[in-house]
């Protein structure tokens, strides 16, 4: 069993759950409710992970594992499912994960700026800087889709979770506009049971 | 050869350079000057990495690799140096890297708040939230030192780069106070040529 500090809205938790689903070990995960916040740390989580972030995992021997990249790779290695490819295919898959995680980091910072920070202390250039990263990433991904379209690995899983988060929290951003190939790819990918059963709630 | 968008102050670039040094392939890296900023993107970098971050690598076949975790693992795999351990030792090493990177992410956000953002728009609870992550991480690491003290791997390299960054940008934070074992460990580790030759400049 793996205990997993989780929230139903975290896109990084979703990555772990999608990997667990695809690797056939979802039943071996026991979720623990966690409340990650950049302002108010969750004291239960920080006892294990001083960063206070979800997802944080605790495996059978009591060892803590984080962040999402580490937990995902651990589950994949335990199950031998090859979602973290070996050989030459590893580097584009890991770089795609990094790009998707970068979209999510930017989106979370944008959300903290727009929602968490008091209105009088918001700084437009910061928000624009974060949203600019997302826009440029989408533009590059639109060109890359043919290269990864039919692949299932940690890169495509991360990308799908990132796009799902844009739908969940930034629907007015309308990411599909101008990115028809990416939208098509996501429509197919998000129909996978692992994605359909982990749609964010909140 | 690997081209590497770099800056002399980035702790994430330092991770890559320390790994390259320890893996014996520093000569195969051609640095390209990059100016990563959360507000003003570097147009040369974003052509390769839409996130506009350093380090971003370009390898022989033109493939882009990022972020620092991916580039470090790539160099280690090319050289076969085992800085990313296989087997059971992999997960604590990767989790230590994640904790060290989390210290750095928090430190960079704190610096953007204190230096980049206009003074009238700063929000103390945000700054305290970031510095709280760093303080809690140091307290946990002080207890963990015996477990990793003599090891050289991506976790200890990342931690040393994180502590070096606190010295560089947060000297008034005086991280050694209350953390004597961590301070001793760092004193030994930072004497390695790979660390001594990559001290941040700026």
């Amino acid at each position: 069993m793996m205990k997993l500090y989780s929230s139903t809205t975290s896109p990084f938790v979703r990555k772990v759950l999608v990997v667990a689903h695809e690797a056939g070990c979802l039943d071996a995960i026991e979720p623990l409710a966690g409340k990650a916040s950049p302002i108010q740390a969750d004291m239960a989580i920080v006892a294990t992970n001083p960063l206070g972030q979800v997802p944080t995992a605790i495996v059978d021997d009591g060892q803590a594992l984080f962040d999402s990249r580490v937990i995902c790779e651990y589950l994949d290695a335990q199950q031998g499912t090859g979602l973290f490819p070996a050989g030459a295919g590893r580097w584009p898959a890991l770089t795609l994960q990094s790009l998707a995680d970068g979209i999510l980091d930017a989106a979370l910072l944008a959300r903290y700026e727009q929602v968490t920070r008091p209105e009088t202390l918001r700084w437009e250039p910061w928000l624009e800087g974060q949203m600019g990263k997302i826009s440029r990433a989408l533009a590059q991904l639109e060109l890359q889709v043919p290269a990864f379209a039919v692949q299932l690995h940690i890169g495509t899983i991360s990308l799908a979770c990132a796009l799902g988060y844009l739908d969940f929290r930034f629907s007015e951003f309308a990411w599909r506009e101008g990115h028809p190939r990416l939208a098509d790819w996501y429509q197919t990918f998000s129909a996978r049971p692992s994605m359909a059963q982990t749609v964010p709630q909140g």
Side-chain angles (χ1 to χ4, degrees), chain A residues 1-6 16 25 28-34 42-50 53-68 70-72 74-75 78:
Chain A
M1 287 299 286
M2 169 190 274
K3 294 191 170 83
L4 186 74
Y5 284 105
S6 306
V16 173
C25 59
I29 292 181
E30 179 192 339
L32 303 175
D42 180 320
M43 286 304 143
I45 302 176
V46 300
T48 303
N49 174 358
Q53 291 166 340
V54 292
T56 292
I58 306 171
V59 290
D60 279 339
D61 61 2
Q63 185 184 173
L65 297 181
F66 52 90
D67 52 14
S68 70
V70 180
I71 304 170
C72 288
Y74 174 87
L75 291 174
Q78 297 294 113

Side-chain angles (χ1 to χ4, degrees), chain A residues 44-190:
Chain A
I45 302 176
V46 300
T48 303
N49 174 358
L51 304 172
Q53 291 166 340
V54 292
T56 292
I58 306 171
V59 290
D60 279 339
D61 61 2
Q63 185 184 173
L65 297 181
F66 52 90
D67 52 14
S68 70
R69 294 191 199 183
V70 180
I71 304 170
C72 288
E73 188 179 342
Y74 174 87
L75 291 174
D76 180 50
Q78 297 294 113
Q79 300 295 107
T81 26
L83 297 173
F84 284 71
R90 186 171 185 85
W91 317 112
L94 292 184
T95 297
L96 184 57
Q97 173 178 226
S98 179
L99 182 58
D101 286 357
I103 289 173
L104 285 175
D105 286 336
L108 286 166
L109 286 174
R111 189 168 158 79
Y112 295 145
E113 187 75 19
Q114 287 180 303
V115 176
T116 311
R117 185 179 289 263
E119 199 166 347
T120 54
L121 302 179
R122 295 175 192 166
W123 188 35
E124 191 62 25
W126 177 264
L127 185 62
E128 285 168 7
Q130 302 308 329
M131 297 310 291
K133 289 186 214 170
I134 298 173
S135 296
R136 291 191 305 265
L138 293 173
Q140 192 197 74
L141 286 161
E142 176 70 7
L143 303 176
Q144 286 182 353
V145 170
F148 61 68
V150 297
Q151 297 173 11
L152 173 70
H153 56 51
I154 190 58
T156 49
I157 288 171
S158 301
L159 176 58
C161 291
L163 296 175
Y165 188 72
L166 295 181
D167 277 345
F168 178 52
R169 293 293 197 202
F170 294 83
S171 58
E172 77 293 349
F173 183 67
W175 68 265
R176 288 171 183 77
E177 284 179 20
H179 308 105
R181 292 197 292 195
L182 196 56
D184 278 353
W185 172 80
Y186 180 70
Q187 188 172 358
T188 302
F189 197 96
S190 59

